[in-house]
Coordinates of all heavy atoms in Angstrom, one line a residue:
M1 N -2.1 -17.1 12.1 CA -1.8 -16.0 11.2 C -1.1 -14.9 11.9 O -1.6 -14.5 12.9 CB -3.0 -15.6 10.4 CG -2.8 -14.5 9.4 SD -4.1 -14.3 8.3 CE -3.4 -15.0 6.8
P2 N 0.0 -14.3 11.4 CA 0.6 -13.1 12.0 C -0.3 -11.9 12.0 O -1.3 -11.8 11.2 CB 1.8 -12.8 11.1 CG 1.8 -13.9 10.1 CD 0.6 -14.7 10.1
K3 N -0.1 -11.0 13.0 CA -0.9 -9.8 13.0 C -0.6 -9.0 11.8 O 0.5 -9.0 11.3 CB -0.7 -9.1 14.3 CG 0.5 -8.3 14.5 CD 0.5 -7.6 15.8 CE 1.7 -6.6 15.8 NZ 1.7 -5.8 17.0
P4 N -1.6 -8.2 11.4 CA -1.4 -7.4 10.2 C -0.4 -6.3 10.4 O -0.2 -5.8 11.5 CB -2.8 -6.8 9.9 CG -3.6 -7.0 11.1 CD -3.0 -8.1 11.9
L5 N 0.3 -6.0 9.3 CA 1.2 -4.8 9.3 C 0.3 -3.6 9.0 O -0.5 -3.6 8.1 CB 2.2 -5.0 8.1 CG 3.2 -3.9 7.9 CD1 4.5 -4.5 7.4 CD2 2.7 -2.9 6.9
T6 N 0.4 -2.6 9.9 CA -0.4 -1.4 9.7 C 0.6 -0.2 9.7 O 1.6 -0.2 10.3 CB -1.4 -1.2 10.9 OG1 -0.7 -1.1 12.1 CG2 -2.4 -2.3 10.9
L7 N 0.2 0.8 9.0 CA 0.9 2.1 9.0 C 0.0 3.2 8.6 O -1.0 3.0 7.9 CB 2.2 2.0 8.1 CG 2.1 1.8 6.6 CD1 2.2 3.1 5.9 CD2 3.2 0.9 6.2
S8 N 0.4 4.4 9.0 CA -0.3 5.6 8.7 C 0.7 6.6 8.1 O 1.8 6.8 8.7 CB -1.0 6.2 9.9 OG -1.6 7.4 9.7
I9 N 0.4 7.2 7.0 CA 1.2 8.2 6.4 C 0.4 9.5 6.3 O -0.5 9.6 5.6 CB 1.7 7.8 5.0 CG1 2.4 6.5 5.0 CG2 2.6 8.9 4.3 CD1 2.7 5.9 3.7
P10 N 0.9 10.5 7.1 CA 0.2 11.8 7.0 C 0.4 12.6 5.7 O 1.5 12.4 5.1 CB 0.8 12.6 8.2 CG 2.1 12.0 8.5 CD 2.0 10.6 8.0
H11 N -0.5 13.4 5.3 CA -0.3 14.2 4.2 C -1.2 15.5 4.3 O -2.0 15.6 5.2 CB -0.7 13.5 2.9 CG -2.2 13.2 2.8 ND1 -3.1 14.1 2.4 CD2 -2.9 12.0 3.0 CE1 -4.3 13.5 2.4 NE2 -4.2 12.2 2.8
S12 N -0.9 16.5 3.5 CA -1.7 17.7 3.5 C -2.2 18.0 2.2 O -2.4 19.2 1.8 CB -0.8 18.9 4.0 OG 0.4 19.0 3.2
L13 N -2.5 17.0 1.4 CA -3.0 17.1 0.0 C -4.5 17.2 -0.1 O -5.0 17.7 -1.2 CB -2.5 15.9 -0.8 CG -1.0 15.7 -0.9 CD1 -0.7 14.3 -1.5 CD2 -0.4 16.8 -1.7
G14 N -5.2 16.8 0.9 CA -6.7 16.6 0.7 C -6.9 15.2 0.1 O -6.0 14.6 -0.5
R15 N -8.1 14.7 0.4 CA -8.4 13.3 0.0 C -8.3 13.1 -1.5 O -7.8 12.1 -2.0 CB -9.9 13.0 0.5 CG -10.2 11.6 0.4 CD -11.7 11.4 0.9 NE -11.8 11.8 2.3 CZ -12.3 11.1 3.3 NH1 -12.7 9.9 3.0 NH2 -12.3 11.6 4.5
A16 N -8.9 14.0 -2.3 CA -8.9 13.7 -3.8 C -7.6 13.7 -4.4 O -7.3 12.8 -5.2 CB -9.8 14.8 -4.5
E17 N -6.7 14.6 -4.0 CA -5.3 14.6 -4.6 C -4.5 13.4 -4.1 O -3.8 12.8 -4.9 CB -4.6 15.9 -4.2 CG -3.2 16.0 -4.7 CD -3.0 15.9 -6.3 OE1 -4.0 16.1 -7.0 OE2 -1.9 15.7 -6.7
A18 N -4.7 13.1 -2.8 CA -3.9 11.9 -2.3 C -4.4 10.6 -3.0 O -3.5 9.8 -3.4 CB -4.2 11.7 -0.8
K19 N -5.7 10.5 -3.3 CA -6.2 9.3 -4.0 C -5.6 9.3 -5.5 O -5.2 8.3 -6.0 CB -7.7 9.3 -4.0 CG -8.3 8.1 -4.7 CD -9.8 8.1 -4.7 CE -10.3 6.9 -5.4 NZ -11.8 6.9 -5.4
R20 N -5.6 10.5 -6.1 CA -5.1 10.6 -7.5 C -3.7 10.1 -7.5 O -3.3 9.3 -8.4 CB -5.2 12.0 -8.0 CG -4.8 12.1 -9.5 CD -4.6 13.5 -9.9 NE -3.4 14.2 -9.3 CZ -2.2 13.9 -9.6 NH1 -1.9 13.0 -10.5 NH2 -1.2 14.6 -9.0
R21 N -2.9 10.5 -6.6 CA -1.4 10.1 -6.5 C -1.3 8.6 -6.3 O -0.4 8.0 -6.8 CB -0.7 11.0 -5.5 CG -0.6 12.4 -5.9 CD 0.3 13.2 -5.0 NE 0.3 14.6 -5.3 CZ 1.2 15.4 -4.8 NH1 2.1 15.0 -4.0 NH2 1.1 16.7 -5.1
L22 N -2.1 8.1 -5.4 CA -2.1 6.6 -5.2 C -2.5 5.8 -6.4 O -1.9 4.8 -6.7 CB -3.0 6.3 -4.0 CG -2.4 6.7 -2.6 CD1 -3.4 6.4 -1.5 CD2 -1.1 5.9 -2.3
V23 N -3.5 6.3 -7.1 CA -3.9 5.6 -8.4 C -2.7 5.6 -9.3 O -2.3 4.6 -9.9 CB -5.1 6.3 -9.0 CG1 -5.3 5.8 -10.4 CG2 -6.3 6.1 -8.2
D24 N -2.0 6.7 -9.5 CA -0.8 6.8 -10.3 C 0.3 5.9 -9.8 O 0.9 5.2 -10.5 CB -0.3 8.2 -10.5 CG -1.2 9.1 -11.2 OD1 -2.1 8.6 -11.9 OD2 -1.0 10.4 -11.2
G25 N 0.5 5.9 -8.5 CA 1.5 5.1 -7.9 C 1.3 3.6 -8.0 O 2.2 2.8 -8.2
M26 N 0.0 3.2 -7.9 CA -0.3 1.8 -8.1 C 0.0 1.3 -9.5 O 0.4 0.2 -9.7 CB -1.8 1.5 -7.8 CG -2.0 1.4 -6.3 SD -1.0 0.1 -5.5 CE -1.6 -1.4 -6.2
G27 N -0.2 2.2 -10.5 CA 0.2 1.8 -11.9 C 1.7 1.6 -12.0 O 2.1 0.6 -12.6
E28 N 2.5 2.4 -11.4 CA 3.9 2.2 -11.4 C 4.3 1.0 -10.6 O 5.2 0.2 -11.1 CB 4.6 3.5 -10.8 CG 4.4 4.7 -11.6 CD 4.9 6.0 -10.9 OE1 5.7 5.8 -9.9 OE2 4.6 7.1 -11.3
A29 N 3.7 0.7 -9.5 CA 4.0 -0.5 -8.7 C 3.7 -1.7 -9.4 O 4.4 -2.7 -9.4 CB 3.3 -0.4 -7.3
R30 N 2.5 -1.7 -10.1 CA 2.1 -2.9 -10.9 C 3.1 -3.2 -12.0 O 3.5 -4.3 -12.2 CB 0.7 -2.6 -11.5 CG 0.1 -3.9 -12.1 CD -1.2 -3.6 -12.8 NE -2.2 -3.2 -11.8 CZ -2.7 -1.9 -11.7 NH1 -2.2 -1.0 -12.5 NH2 -3.6 -1.5 -10.8
A31 N 3.6 -2.2 -12.6 CA 4.6 -2.4 -13.7 C 5.9 -3.0 -13.1 O 6.5 -3.9 -13.7 CB 4.9 -1.0 -14.3
R32 N 6.4 -2.5 -11.9 CA 7.6 -3.0 -11.3 C 7.4 -4.5 -10.8 O 8.2 -5.3 -10.9 CB 8.0 -2.1 -10.1 CG 8.8 -1.0 -10.6 CD 9.3 -0.2 -9.4 NE 8.4 0.9 -9.2 CZ 7.9 1.3 -8.0 NH1 8.4 0.8 -6.9 NH2 7.1 2.3 -7.9
L33 N 6.2 -4.7 -10.2 CA 5.9 -6.1 -9.7 C 5.7 -7.1 -10.8 O 5.8 -8.3 -10.5 CB 4.7 -6.0 -8.8 CG 4.9 -5.3 -7.4 CD1 3.5 -5.2 -6.7 CD2 5.8 -6.2 -6.6
S34 N 5.3 -6.7 -11.9 CA 5.0 -7.7 -13.0 C 6.2 -8.6 -13.3 O 6.0 -9.7 -13.8 CB 4.6 -7.0 -14.3 OG 5.6 -6.2 -14.8
A35 N 7.4 -8.2 -13.0 CA 8.6 -9.0 -13.2 C 8.6 -10.2 -12.3 O 9.2 -11.3 -12.7 CB 9.8 -8.2 -13.1
V36 N 8.0 -10.1 -11.1 CA 8.1 -11.2 -10.1 C 6.8 -11.7 -9.6 O 6.7 -12.8 -9.1 CB 8.9 -10.7 -8.9 CG1 10.4 -10.5 -9.2 CG2 8.3 -9.5 -8.2
A37 N 5.7 -11.0 -9.9 CA 4.4 -11.4 -9.4 C 3.6 -12.2 -10.4 O 3.6 -11.9 -11.6 CB 3.6 -10.2 -9.0
A38 N 3.0 -13.2 -9.9 CA 2.1 -14.0 -10.8 C 0.8 -13.3 -11.1 O 0.3 -13.4 -12.1 CB 1.8 -15.4 -10.1
S39 N 0.4 -12.5 -10.1 CA -0.8 -11.6 -10.3 C -0.8 -10.4 -9.3 O -0.3 -10.5 -8.2 CB -2.1 -12.4 -10.1 OG -2.3 -12.8 -8.7
V40 N -1.3 -9.3 -9.8 CA -1.5 -8.1 -9.0 C -2.9 -7.7 -9.3 O -3.2 -7.3 -10.4 CB -0.5 -7.0 -9.4 CG1 -0.7 -5.8 -8.6 CG2 1.0 -7.5 -9.3
D41 N -3.7 -7.7 -8.3 CA -5.1 -7.3 -8.4 C -5.4 -6.1 -7.4 O -5.0 -6.2 -6.3 CB -6.1 -8.5 -8.0 CG -5.9 -9.7 -8.9 OD1 -5.8 -9.5 -10.1 OD2 -5.7 -10.8 -8.3
D42 N -6.1 -5.1 -7.9 CA -6.5 -4.0 -7.1 C -7.8 -3.5 -7.5 O -8.1 -3.5 -8.7 CB -5.4 -3.0 -7.0 CG -5.1 -2.3 -8.3 OD1 -5.7 -1.3 -8.7 OD2 -4.2 -2.9 -9.0
S43 N -8.6 -3.0 -6.6 CA -9.8 -2.3 -6.9 C -10.2 -1.3 -5.9 O -9.9 -1.4 -4.7 CB -11.0 -3.4 -7.0 OG -11.2 -4.0 -5.8
W44 N -10.8 -0.2 -6.4 CA -11.2 0.9 -5.6 C -12.7 0.8 -5.3 O -13.5 0.5 -6.1 CB -10.9 2.2 -6.2 CG -9.5 2.7 -6.3 CD1 -8.6 2.4 -7.3 CD2 -8.8 3.4 -5.2 NE1 -7.4 3.0 -6.9 CE2 -7.5 3.6 -5.7 CE3 -9.2 3.9 -4.0 CZ2 -6.6 4.2 -4.9 CZ3 -8.3 4.6 -3.2 CH2 -6.9 4.7 -3.7
T45 N -13.0 1.0 -4.0 CA -14.4 1.2 -3.6 C -14.4 2.5 -2.8 O -13.9 2.6 -1.7 CB -14.9 0.0 -2.7 OG1 -14.8 -1.2 -3.4 CG2 -16.4 0.2 -2.3
D46 N -15.0 3.6 -3.4 CA -14.9 4.9 -2.8 C -13.5 5.3 -2.6 O -12.7 5.3 -3.5 CB -15.8 5.0 -1.5 CG -17.3 4.7 -1.8 OD1 -17.8 5.1 -2.9 OD2 -17.9 4.0 -1.0
D47 N -13.1 5.5 -1.3 CA -11.7 5.9 -1.0 C -10.9 4.8 -0.4 O -9.9 5.0 0.3 CB -11.8 7.1 0.0 CG -12.3 8.3 -0.7 OD1 -12.1 8.5 -1.9 OD2 -13.1 9.1 -0.1
R48 N -11.3 3.5 -0.7 CA -10.5 2.4 -0.2 C -10.0 1.6 -1.4 O -10.7 1.2 -2.3 CB -11.4 1.5 0.7 CG -10.6 0.2 1.0 CD -11.4 -0.7 2.0 NE -11.1 -0.2 3.3 CZ -11.3 -0.9 4.4 NH1 -11.8 -2.1 4.4 NH2 -11.0 -0.3 5.6
L49 N -8.7 1.3 -1.4 CA -8.1 0.5 -2.4 C -7.8 -0.9 -1.7 O -7.1 -1.0 -0.7 CB -6.7 1.0 -2.8 CG -5.8 0.1 -3.7 CD1 -6.5 -0.1 -5.0 CD2 -4.5 0.8 -3.9
N50 N -8.5 -1.9 -2.3 CA -8.2 -3.3 -1.9 C -7.2 -3.9 -2.9 O -7.4 -3.7 -4.1 CB -9.5 -4.1 -1.9 CG -10.5 -3.6 -0.8 OD1 -10.2 -3.8 0.4 ND2 -11.6 -3.1 -1.2
F51 N -6.2 -4.6 -2.3 CA -5.2 -5.2 -3.2 C -4.8 -6.6 -2.8 O -5.0 -7.0 -1.6 CB -4.0 -4.3 -3.3 CG -3.3 -4.1 -2.0 CD1 -2.3 -5.0 -1.6 CD2 -3.6 -3.1 -1.2 CE1 -1.6 -4.8 -0.4 CE2 -3.0 -2.9 0.0 CZ -2.0 -3.8 0.4
R52 N -4.3 -7.3 -3.8 CA -3.8 -8.7 -3.6 C -2.7 -8.9 -4.5 O -2.9 -8.7 -5.7 CB -5.0 -9.7 -3.8 CG -4.6 -11.1 -3.5 CD -5.9 -12.0 -3.6 NE -5.6 -13.4 -3.5 CZ -5.3 -14.2 -4.5 NH1 -5.2 -13.7 -5.7 NH2 -5.0 -15.4 -4.3
V53 N -1.6 -9.4 -4.0 CA -0.4 -9.7 -4.9 C 0.0 -11.1 -4.6 O 0.2 -11.5 -3.4 CB 0.8 -8.7 -4.5 CG1 2.0 -9.1 -5.4 CG2 0.4 -7.3 -4.7
V54 N 0.2 -11.9 -5.6 CA 0.8 -13.3 -5.5 C 2.1 -13.3 -6.2 O 2.2 -13.0 -7.4 CB -0.2 -14.3 -6.1 CG1 0.4 -15.7 -6.0 CG2 -1.6 -14.2 -5.5
A55 N 3.1 -13.6 -5.4 CA 4.5 -13.7 -5.9 C 5.3 -14.8 -5.2 O 5.2 -14.9 -4.0 CB 5.2 -12.3 -5.7
L56 N 6.0 -15.6 -5.9 CA 6.8 -16.6 -5.4 C 6.0 -17.5 -4.4 O 6.4 -17.8 -3.3 CB 8.0 -16.0 -4.7 CG 8.9 -15.1 -5.5 CD1 9.9 -14.4 -4.6 CD2 9.5 -15.9 -6.6
A57 N 4.8 -17.9 -4.9 CA 3.8 -18.7 -4.1 C 3.4 -18.1 -2.8 O 3.0 -18.8 -1.9 CB 4.4 -20.1 -3.9
Q58 N 3.6 -16.8 -2.6 CA 3.1 -16.1 -1.4 C 2.1 -15.1 -1.8 O 2.2 -14.4 -2.8 CB 4.3 -15.4 -0.7 CG 5.5 -16.3 -0.3 CD 5.1 -17.2 0.8 OE1 4.6 -16.7 1.8 NE2 5.4 -18.4 0.6
T59 N 1.0 -15.0 -0.9 CA 0.0 -14.0 -1.2 C 0.0 -12.9 -0.1 O 0.0 -13.2 1.1 CB -1.4 -14.7 -1.1 OG1 -1.4 -15.7 -2.2 CG2 -2.5 -13.7 -1.4
I60 N 0.0 -11.7 -0.6 CA -0.1 -10.5 0.2 C -1.4 -9.8 -0.1 O -1.6 -9.5 -1.3 CB 1.1 -9.5 0.0 CG1 2.4 -10.3 0.2 CG2 1.0 -8.3 0.8 CD1 3.6 -9.5 -0.3
A61 N -2.2 -9.5 0.9 CA -3.5 -8.8 0.7 C -3.7 -7.8 1.7 O -3.1 -7.8 2.8 CB -4.6 -9.9 0.7
G62 N -4.4 -6.7 1.3 CA -4.7 -5.7 2.3 C -5.5 -4.6 1.7 O -6.1 -4.7 0.6
H63 N -5.5 -3.5 2.4 CA -6.3 -2.3 1.9 C -5.6 -1.0 2.3 O -4.8 -1.0 3.3 CB -7.8 -2.4 2.4 CG -7.9 -2.2 3.9 ND1 -7.9 -3.3 4.7 CD2 -8.0 -1.2 4.7 CE1 -8.1 -2.9 5.9 NE2 -8.1 -1.6 6.0
I64 N -5.9 0.0 1.6 CA -5.4 1.4 1.9 C -6.7 2.3 1.9 O -7.5 2.3 1.0 CB -4.5 1.9 0.8 CG1 -3.3 0.9 0.7 CG2 -4.0 3.3 1.0 CD1 -2.3 1.2 -0.5
D65 N -6.8 3.0 3.0 CA -7.9 4.0 3.1 C -7.3 5.4 3.0 O -6.4 5.7 3.7 CB -8.6 3.9 4.5 CG -9.4 2.6 4.6 OD1 -10.1 2.2 3.7 OD2 -9.2 1.9 5.7
V66 N -7.9 6.2 2.1 CA -7.5 7.5 1.9 C -8.4 8.4 2.7 O -9.6 8.5 2.5 CB -7.5 7.9 0.4 CG1 -7.0 9.4 0.2 CG2 -6.7 7.0 -0.5
L67 N -7.8 9.1 3.7 CA -8.5 10.1 4.5 C -8.1 11.5 4.2 O -7.1 11.7 3.4 CB -8.2 9.8 6.0 CG -8.4 8.3 6.4 CD1 -8.0 8.1 7.9 CD2 -9.9 7.9 6.2
D68 N -8.7 12.5 4.7 CA -8.4 13.9 4.4 C -7.0 14.3 4.7 O -6.4 15.1 4.0 CB -9.4 14.8 5.2 CG -10.8 14.7 4.7 OD1 -11.0 14.4 3.5 OD2 -11.7 15.0 5.5
D69 N -6.4 13.7 5.8 CA -5.1 14.1 6.2 C -4.1 13.0 6.4 O -3.0 13.2 6.9 CB -5.2 15.0 7.5 CG -5.8 14.2 8.6 OD1 -6.2 13.0 8.4 OD2 -5.9 14.8 9.7
S70 N -4.5 11.8 6.0 CA -3.5 10.6 6.1 C -4.0 9.5 5.2 O -5.1 9.5 4.7 CB -3.5 10.1 7.5 OG -4.7 9.6 7.9
V71 N -3.1 8.6 5.0 CA -3.4 7.3 4.3 C -3.1 6.2 5.3 O -2.0 6.2 5.9 CB -2.5 7.2 3.0 CG1 -2.7 5.8 2.4 CG2 -2.8 8.3 2.0
E72 N -4.1 5.4 5.5 CA -4.0 4.3 6.5 C -3.9 3.0 5.7 O -4.7 2.7 4.8 CB -5.2 4.2 7.4 CG -5.6 5.5 8.1 CD -4.6 5.9 9.1 OE1 -4.0 5.0 9.8 OE2 -4.3 7.1 9.3
M73 N -3.0 2.1 6.0 CA -2.8 0.9 5.3 C -2.7 -0.3 6.3 O -2.2 -0.2 7.4 CB -1.4 1.0 4.6 CG -1.1 -0.2 3.7 SD 0.5 0.1 2.9 CE 0.4 -1.1 1.6
E74 N -3.4 -1.4 5.8 CA -3.3 -2.6 6.6 C -3.0 -3.8 5.6 O -3.7 -3.9 4.6 CB -4.6 -2.9 7.3 CG -4.6 -4.2 8.2 CD -5.8 -4.3 9.0 OE1 -6.1 -3.5 9.8 OE2 -6.5 -5.4 8.8
V75 N -2.0 -4.6 5.9 CA -1.6 -5.6 5.0 C -1.4 -6.9 5.8 O -0.8 -7.0 6.9 CB -0.2 -5.3 4.4 CG1 0.2 -6.4 3.4 CG2 -0.2 -3.9 3.7
Q76 N -2.0 -8.0 5.2 CA -1.8 -9.3 5.8 C -0.6 -10.0 5.1 O -0.6 -10.2 3.9 CB -3.0 -10.2 5.6 CG -4.2 -9.7 6.4 CD -4.1 -10.0 7.8 OE1 -3.3 -10.9 8.3 NE2 -4.8 -9.2 8.6
L77 N 0.4 -10.3 5.8 CA 1.6 -10.9 5.3 C 1.6 -12.4 5.6 O 1.3 -12.8 6.7 CB 2.9 -10.3 5.9 CG 3.1 -8.8 5.5 CD1 4.3 -8.3 6.4 CD2 3.4 -8.6 4.1
P78 N 2.1 -13.2 4.7 CA 2.2 -14.6 5.0 C 3.4 -14.8 6.0 O 4.2 -13.9 6.1 CB 2.6 -15.3 3.7 CG 3.1 -14.2 2.8 CD 2.4 -12.9 3.3
W79 N 3.4 -15.9 6.7 CA 4.5 -16.1 7.7 C 5.9 -15.8 7.2 O 6.6 -15.2 7.9 CB 4.4 -17.6 8.2 CG 3.3 -17.9 9.1 CD1 2.1 -18.5 8.8 CD2 3.2 -17.5 10.5 NE1 1.3 -18.5 9.9 CE2 1.9 -17.9 11.0 CE3 4.0 -16.8 11.4 CZ2 1.5 -17.7 12.3 CZ3 3.6 -16.6 12.7 CH2 2.4 -17.1 13.1
A80 N 6.2 -16.3 6.1 CA 7.6 -16.1 5.6 C 8.0 -14.6 5.5 O 9.1 -14.2 5.8 CB 7.8 -16.7 4.2
L81 N 7.0 -13.8 5.0 CA 7.3 -12.3 4.9 C 7.0 -11.6 6.2 O 7.6 -10.5 6.4 CB 6.4 -11.7 3.8 CG 6.8 -12.2 2.4 CD1 5.8 -11.6 1.4 CD2 8.2 -11.8 2.1
A82 N 6.2 -12.1 7.1 CA 6.0 -11.5 8.4 C 7.3 -11.4 9.2 O 7.4 -10.4 10.0 CB 5.0 -12.3 9.2
L83 N 8.2 -12.2 9.0 CA 9.5 -12.1 9.6 C 10.3 -10.8 9.2 O 11.2 -10.4 9.9 CB 10.4 -13.4 9.3 CG 9.8 -14.7 9.8 CD1 10.6 -15.8 9.2 CD2 9.7 -14.7 11.3
L84 N 9.9 -10.3 8.0 CA 10.6 -9.1 7.5 C 9.6 -7.9 7.6 O 9.8 -6.9 6.9 CB 10.9 -9.3 6.0 CG 11.8 -10.5 5.7 CD1 11.9 -10.7 4.2 CD2 13.2 -10.3 6.3
A85 N 8.6 -8.0 8.5 CA 7.6 -6.9 8.6 C 8.2 -5.5 8.8 O 7.7 -4.6 8.2 CB 6.6 -7.3 9.7
D86 N 9.2 -5.4 9.7 CA 9.7 -4.1 10.0 C 10.4 -3.5 8.8 O 10.2 -2.3 8.5 CB 10.7 -4.1 11.2 CG 10.0 -4.4 12.5 OD1 8.8 -4.0 12.6 OD2 10.7 -4.9 13.4
K87 N 11.2 -4.3 8.0 CA 11.8 -3.8 6.8 C 10.8 -3.4 5.8 O 10.9 -2.4 5.1 CB 12.8 -4.8 6.3 CG 14.0 -5.0 7.1 CD 15.0 -6.0 6.5 CE 16.2 -6.1 7.4 NZ 17.2 -7.0 6.9
I88 N 9.8 -4.3 5.6 CA 8.7 -4.0 4.6 C 8.0 -2.7 5.0 O 7.7 -1.9 4.2 CB 7.8 -5.2 4.5 CG1 8.5 -6.4 3.9 CG2 6.5 -4.8 3.7 CD1 7.7 -7.7 4.0
K89 N 7.7 -2.6 6.3 CA 7.0 -1.4 6.7 C 7.8 -0.1 6.5 O 7.2 0.9 6.0 CB 6.7 -1.5 8.2 CG 5.8 -0.4 8.8 CD 5.4 -0.7 10.2 CE 4.5 0.4 10.7 NZ 4.0 0.0 12.1
N90 N 9.1 -0.1 6.7 CA 9.9 1.0 6.5 C 10.0 1.4 5.0 O 9.9 2.5 4.6 CB 11.3 0.8 7.0 CG 11.4 0.8 8.5 OD1 10.5 1.4 9.2 ND2 12.4 0.2 9.1
K91 N 10.1 0.4 4.2 CA 10.2 0.6 2.7 C 8.8 1.2 2.2 O 8.8 2.1 1.4 CB 10.6 -0.7 2.0 CG 10.7 -0.4 0.5 CD 11.5 -1.5 -0.2 CE 11.6 -1.3 -1.6 NZ 12.7 -0.4 -2.0
V92 N 7.7 0.6 2.6 CA 6.4 1.0 2.1 C 6.1 2.4 2.6 O 5.6 3.3 1.9 CB 5.3 0.1 2.6 CG1 3.9 0.6 2.4 CG2 5.4 -1.3 1.9
S93 N 6.5 2.7 3.9 CA 6.4 4.1 4.4 C 7.2 5.1 3.6 O 6.6 6.2 3.3 CB 6.8 4.1 5.9 OG 6.5 5.3 6.5
R94 N 8.4 4.8 3.3 CA 9.2 5.7 2.5 C 8.6 5.9 1.1 O 8.5 7.1 0.7 CB 10.6 5.2 2.4 CG 11.5 5.4 3.6 CD 13.0 5.2 3.2 NE 13.3 3.9 2.7 CZ 13.6 2.8 3.3 NH1 13.5 2.8 4.7 NH2 13.8 1.7 2.7
Q95 N 8.2 4.9 0.5 CA 7.6 5.0 -0.9 C 6.3 5.8 -0.8 O 6.1 6.6 -1.7 CB 7.4 3.6 -1.5 CG 8.6 2.9 -1.9 CD 9.4 3.7 -3.0 OE1 10.5 4.1 -2.8 NE2 8.8 3.9 -4.1
G96 N 5.5 5.5 0.2 CA 4.2 6.2 0.3 C 4.4 7.7 0.6 O 3.7 8.5 0.0
T97 N 5.4 8.0 1.4 CA 5.7 9.4 1.7 C 6.2 10.1 0.4 O 5.8 11.2 0.2 CB 6.8 9.5 2.8 OG1 6.3 8.9 4.0 CG2 7.1 10.9 3.1
L98 N 7.0 9.4 -0.4 CA 7.4 10.0 -1.7 C 6.3 10.3 -2.6 O 6.2 11.4 -3.2 CB 8.4 9.1 -2.4 CG 9.8 9.0 -1.7 CD1 10.7 8.0 -2.5 CD2 10.5 10.4 -1.8
I99 N 5.3 9.4 -2.6 CA 4.1 9.6 -3.5 C 3.3 10.7 -3.0 O 2.8 11.5 -3.8 CB 3.3 8.3 -3.5 CG1 4.0 7.2 -4.3 CG2 1.9 8.5 -4.2 CD1 3.4 5.8 -4.2
L100 N 3.2 10.9 -1.7 CA 2.3 11.9 -1.1 C 3.0 13.3 -0.8 O 2.3 14.1 -0.3 CB 1.7 11.3 0.1 CG 0.8 10.1 -0.1 CD1 0.3 9.5 1.2 CD2 -0.4 10.5 -0.9
E101 N 4.3 13.4 -1.1 CA 4.9 14.7 -0.8 C 4.3 15.8 -1.7 O 4.0 15.5 -2.8 CB 6.4 14.6 -1.1 CG 7.2 13.9 0.0 CD 8.7 13.9 -0.4 OE1 9.1 14.1 -1.5 OE2 9.5 13.8 0.6
K102 N 4.2 16.9 -1.1 CA 3.7 18.1 -1.9 C 4.7 18.4 -3.0 O 5.9 18.4 -2.8 CB 3.6 19.3 -1.0 CG 2.2 19.5 -0.4 CD 1.7 20.8 -0.8 CE 0.5 21.2 0.0 NZ -0.7 21.1 -0.7
K103 N 4.1 18.6 -4.2 CA 5.0 19.0 -5.3 C 4.5 20.2 -6.0 O 3.4 20.6 -5.9 CB 4.9 17.8 -6.4 CG 5.5 16.6 -5.9 CD 5.4 15.5 -6.9 CE 5.9 14.2 -6.3 NZ 5.8 13.0 -7.1

């Protein structure tokens, strides 16, 4: 199995506001993914979001930890998508930064 994709996105929102924005962002992501994904499952346990997406016979699973000054993400990619890990990491990082920007 390929090594997990990990990333950290700093923020200055505080834990509660960062989590609120991620909850909203997951709702938007679920809506966008519904066109291609067979299933999108996510659940919160305290400040950790566990997720699993099945699309095109590929399963992506991972978790996001919301900390006071950053969001830490770890994702297990199947072999086919692991080849695109750098592109996926850049896109997720950009989207995450947009969600967590101060407004």
Side-chain angles (χ1 to χ4, degrees):
M1 177 165 257
K3 73 178 195 175
L5 180 146
T6 60
L7 63 100
S8 177
I9 303 171
H11 66 79
S12 58
L13 300 169
R15 190 180 302 231
E17 177 62 13
K19 182 177 177 181
R20 184 193 69 74
R21 291 185 187 197
L22 286 174
V23 168
D24 292 346
M26 279 305 294
E28 294 171 16
R30 190 180 301 103
R32 277 185 265 137
L33 287 171
S34 66
V36 294
S39 70
V40 179
D41 302 311
D42 60 90
S43 64
W44 285 94
T45 303
D46 298 321
D47 294 321
R48 174 174 275 199
L49 171 64
N50 293 294
F51 62 89
R52 184 173 175 271
V53 177
V54 179
L56 305 172
Q58 301 291 312
T59 300
I60 300 167
H63 64 267
I64 300 171
D65 291 314
V66 182
L67 307 175
D68 291 332
D69 59 356
S70 68
V71 171
E72 309 288 327
M73 182 177 196
E74 182 174 299
V75 182
Q76 292 291 336
L77 296 172
W79 283 102
L81 293 176
L83 299 172
L84 303 170
D86 288 337
K87 288 182 180 185
I88 292 169
K89 186 174 185 174
N90 289 337
K91 183 162 179 81
V92 170
S93 184
R94 277 194 309 272
Q95 287 300 115
T97 299
L98 287 174
I99 290 170
L100 297 171
E101 281 183 340
K102 269 237 190 254
K103 294 178 185 174

